[in-house]
Amino acid sequence: PWPRSMNNLERGWCAKAQQGQGKGQVIMDLKRFILRGQVLSLYREALRTVRVAPAHLRDELRSQVRGEFVANESQADQVQIRYLLSEGKRKVKELDEMLCGVR
């Protein structure tokens, strides 16, 4: 049930990981695995936040959220990914605070 872009996001992460010994096997180090989980968690949180928006804004907000993640799906630098995570969390928090008054 994930959007097609999430599959692309996951493929981007795996493409940056080292290739395993087996045929088509991908090995991801622990730090990258944890960061991937945090990114997916942030994506889900952002989409849950968008769900409470007024109907006329939902599609546009969902599109913006998805666009941000797709734009950065090829990011391989772990320091940059951590920065993007912190910025994303800040933006989701701001969006949630803005939408509290609209509900």
Side-chain angles (χ1 to χ4, degrees), residues 28-47:
M28 189 181 304
D29 68 346
L30 182 60
K31 288 181 182 179
R32 188 170 298 277
F33 178 78
I34 291 170
L35 278 174
R36 178 181 168 272
Q38 291 172 338
V39 169
L40 293 173
S41 176
L42 178 62
Y43 184 75
R44 288 189 299 268
E45 182 182 351
L47 290 180

